[in-house]
Amino acid sequence: MNLCSRQTKNLIARRPRLVKFIMILLPPLTVVTQSFSFCLIYLRHLILWTTGFFLRRLFTRFGIRYKALDWFVSYLSDRTQYVKVKDTSSHSLRLTQGVPQGSVLGPILYSLYTSPLGVIAKHHQMNFHLYADDTQLYMSFKTCCTNDMELSKTSMEACVRDIDLWMVQRLKLNQEKTEVLVFSSCYRPRPNIHDMTIVDEVVNCSSTVKDIGVPLDESLSMAPHVTAVCKSAFFHLRSISQIRKFLNMETTKSLVHAFITSTVDYCNLLLYSVHKYLLLRLQRVLNCAARIVFKSNKYDHITPLLKELHWLPI
């Protein structure tokens, strides 16, 4: 994921008349520039597949055979389940669909099963990302050309319809969790796209969506993400400060690393080249955490404390 890079923002400044429109179905986000506006569609589906059909796909589409295929056959075939409460058990039920919940192979097998979605997306000239049961479609258009904008929207809706047709008797497209987001420059007029038809339901464009836990807004300013991080971090810092007198130094450091620095560091690549005032907000979080660790007051110089903790400035 490379969002809001320096090269991206330079391109934005040089080509203000172009707008790129991206539609997505979920996780990994794509490059964002102000010369482009993006629209995301998030589609989430429910797992429901037939074991025999999937095993044939492993053989014909991915070339898995012989001993490796026998392992998958053994893993997916002749499985049963039952419910046990204390010493009482229900009758066993033979399973012909799905994989064991919580299994390591589950997400990988699901991705292999839904690989035809990529073929459908390519047929409609869409870019895509697949992550377990979340699918992300995206494309671009020029806002200076109304026909290009409408054609892109029509193509995206047709692609989603074909995906829904493929899912018949295999999966279920969860329209309630499908989201649409259009990215555009905050210095240019917004593209005239307010909703999109997902199969037979009209989905309004969202102002913010969460992608792998990161809130994204229409201009990819990362302000919602920084706000969420600061809110969570200060909540935990208040809790830690209330019990600090009962903790030693090492225990306090462990708590700070578990609840504060891990939150600040999560997806920090997305913060590259964002506005300085957003980085200062995150720096205040680390400054406050350092003062709690060393029991210093707010007037003490923070640089020696950060060096002692080996924390780099944001």
Side-chain angles (χ1 to χ4, degrees):
M1 283 189 304
N2 179 16
L3 301 180
C4 295
S5 67
R6 184 175 307 227
Q7 294 82 353
T8 292
K9 293 199 171 182
N10 289 338
L11 181 61
I12 293 170
R14 295 172 186 172
R15 301 183 183 179
R17 289 182 292 178
L18 290 180
V19 178
K20 191 171 188 177
F21 156 101
I22 278 196
M23 301 208 107
I24 294 188
L25 312 170
L26 226 198
L29 253 299
T30 56
V31 184
V32 161
T33 71
Q34 286 187 353
S35 67
F36 299 109
S37 41
F38 303 86
C39 178
L40 298 133
I41 291 189
Y42 293 91
L43 300 181
R44 301 186 180 182
H45 358 87
L46 304 179
I47 295 178
L48 176 65
W49 72 63
T50 303
T51 302
F53 180 83
F54 176 61
L55 291 173
R56 287 196 300 272
R57 172 166 296 157
L58 292 179
F59 177 79
T60 59
R61 185 177 180 85
F62 299 101
I64 299 176
R65 57 191 68 188
Y66 308 126
K67 179 62 76 172
L69 185 61
D70 291 341
W71 290 341
F72 282 109
V73 172
S74 175
Y75 181 67
L76 297 174
S77 303
D78 300 325
R79 291 182 291 111
T80 60
Q81 71 174 15
Y82 65 93
V83 178
K84 183 176 181 180
V85 179
K86 295 184 178 179
D87 296 330
T88 304
S89 301
S90 65
H91 296 290
S92 296
L93 178 66
R94 187 171 180 267
L95 298 179
T96 60
Q97 298 169 334
V99 295
Q101 187 172 2
S103 62
V104 176
L105 282 177
I108 299 175
L109 292 176
Y110 184 86
S111 296
L112 294 175
Y113 181 79
T114 57
S115 59
L117 296 182
V119 178
I120 297 174
K122 289 180 179 178
H123 175 73
H124 291 274
Q125 298 181 340
M126 301 287 164
N127 296 311
F128 62 93
H129 290 292
L130 304 177
Y131 182 78
D133 63 340
D134 296 323
T135 306
Q136 184 181 82
L137 299 177
Y138 59 97
M139 65 180 305
S140 64
F141 66 84
K142 298 178 181 178
T143 53
C144 60
C145 181
T146 305
N147 292 335
D148 189 26
M149 188 187 309
E150 291 298 327
L151 180 61
S152 299
K153 179 180 178 182
T154 303
S155 299
M156 181 62 68
E157 292 174 342
C159 181
V160 176
R161 283 196 301 270
D162 287 349
I163 289 176
D164 183 65
L165 290 176
W166 179 85
M167 288 183 175
V168 174
Q169 297 181 349
R170 297 185 183 95
L171 301 167
K172 177 174 171 52
L173 182 64
N174 197 334
Q175 300 179 19
E176 295 180 356
K177 293 185 178 180
T178 298
E179 297 180 273
V180 180
L181 178 61
V182 180
F183 292 110
S184 64
S185 169
C186 59
Y187 303 105
R188 304 288 298 174
R190 287 282 300 163
N192 189 26
I193 297 179
H194 305 291
D195 56 54
M196 188 160 294
T197 302
I198 306 300
V199 188
D200 56 355
E201 183 176 332
V202 176
V203 178
N204 294 324
C205 294
S206 304
S207 58
T208 59
V209 297
K210 273 193 173 184
D211 193 3
I212 55 173
V214 178
L216 302 172
D217 61 348
E218 298 171 328
S219 60
L220 278 177
S221 66
M222 302 310 298
H225 174 58
V226 173
T227 299
V229 169
C230 292
K231 182 179 179 180
S232 174
F234 280 118
F235 171 81
H236 291 296
L237 283 174
R238 283 192 294 270
S239 300
I240 295 174
S241 64
Q242 292 175 356
I243 60 172
R244 177 64 183 92
K245 60 183 178 181
F246 304 108
L247 305 175
N248 57 33
M249 178 77 73
E250 293 303 318
T251 302
T252 306
K253 287 182 181 180
S254 298
L255 289 175
V256 168
H257 285 306
F259 295 103
I260 310 303
T261 57
S262 61
T263 303
V264 174
D265 289 339
Y266 180 68
C267 288
N268 57 7
L269 178 63
L270 304 179
L271 301 175
Y272 177 75
S273 195
V274 300
H275 288 292
K276 187 176 180 179
Y277 80 93
L278 295 175
L279 298 181
L280 290 176
R281 292 181 61 187
L282 295 175
Q283 188 63 57
R284 293 191 191 101
V285 171
L286 294 185
N287 294 349
C288 182
R291 289 192 170 96
I292 290 177
V293 170
F294 290 103
K295 295 183 179 180
S296 64
N297 60 58
K298 62 180 181 179
Y299 299 108
D300 292 339
H301 204 296
I302 194 61
T303 303
L305 304 183
L306 296 177
K307 287 183 177 180
E308 181 69 21
L309 292 170
H310 303 287
W311 290 356
L312 295 174
I314 295 179

